[in-house]
């Protein structure tokens, strides 16, 4: 069983998937920093606030002795929109990578058709002709 698992784990496809997974995780962090550091501040200029801090307050909170707001109920739509932008960027780049890989693959040529022999009617006619000669 251990030998079978080792053979399975060392197959090229599984190793490729593992490498792709690690690369995807690293790419996700790059996209997150791009969105948080570049895209969000630019969009935040439109709203005159930090884009990730945009929220809809459903219930106001009260300030405690330390000055912190407690009991606030809010919908954090700025953070959600930032994550949606991250997803769109990652999905688009992955689409482009898959498209590039598919373009580099050799296009398989269709297999040549096997030469067709005589039809059943032709064979029967030939047998008839041979029998009539005797």
């Amino acid at each position: 069983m251990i030998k079978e698992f080792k053979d399975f784990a060392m197959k090229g496809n599984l190793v490729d998937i593992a490498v792709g997974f690690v690369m995807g995780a690293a790419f996700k962090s790059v996209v997150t920093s791009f969105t948080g550091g570049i895209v969000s501040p630019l969009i935040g200029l439109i709203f005159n606030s930090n884009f990730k801090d945009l929220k809809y307050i459903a219930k106001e909170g009260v300030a405690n002795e330390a000055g912190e707001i407690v009991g606030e109920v809010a919908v954090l739509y700025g953070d959600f929109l930032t994550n949606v932008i991250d997803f769109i960027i990652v999905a688009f780049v992955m689409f482009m990578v898959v498209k590039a890989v598919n373009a580099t693959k050799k296009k398989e040529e269709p297999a040549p058709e096997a030469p067709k022999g005589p039809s059943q009617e032709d064979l029967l006619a030939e047998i008839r002709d041979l029998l009539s000669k005797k």
Side-chain angles (χ1 to χ4, degrees):
M1 190 164 123
I2 292 174
K3 182 183 181 306
E4 287 180 51
F5 178 74
K6 182 180 174 187
D7 292 342
F8 170 75
M10 291 301 151
K11 282 186 179 177
N13 290 342
L14 188 61
V15 173
D16 291 344
I17 290 171
V19 169
F21 183 77
V22 171
M23 293 292 290
F27 180 70
K28 171 72 169 107
S29 66
V30 169
V31 170
T32 300
S33 67
F34 170 74
T35 306
I38 296 173
V39 175
S40 291
L42 293 176
I43 294 175
L45 287 174
I46 297 170
F47 294 104
N48 288 328
S49 68
N50 185 358
F51 187 62
K52 283 189 122 181
D53 291 338
L54 293 176
K55 61 185 174 181
Y56 171 75
I57 299 174
K59 178 185 171 195
E60 291 285 334
V62 292
N64 62 10
E65 300 84 35
E68 300 171 345
I69 306 290
V70 292
E72 178 180 80
V73 177
V75 177
L76 305 173
Y77 67 90
D79 194 37
F80 174 74
L81 291 176
T82 301
N83 289 327
V84 169
I85 292 169
D86 284 351
F87 172 77
I88 290 170
I89 292 170
V90 169
F92 178 73
V93 170
M94 296 314 310
F95 168 75
M96 296 305 288
V97 167
V98 169
K99 189 173 179 175
V101 167
N102 287 341
T104 60
K105 285 184 180 177
K106 291 182 181 178
K107 298 192 180 202
E108 294 182 24
E109 296 179 16
E113 292 184 26
K116 291 187 177 182
S119 69
Q120 192 173 16
E121 289 80 17
D122 293 337
L123 290 174
L124 288 173
E126 188 177 328
I127 292 171
R128 181 195 64 211
D129 295 341
L130 288 173
L131 287 175
S132 66
K133 289 183 182 178
K134 288 187 178 188

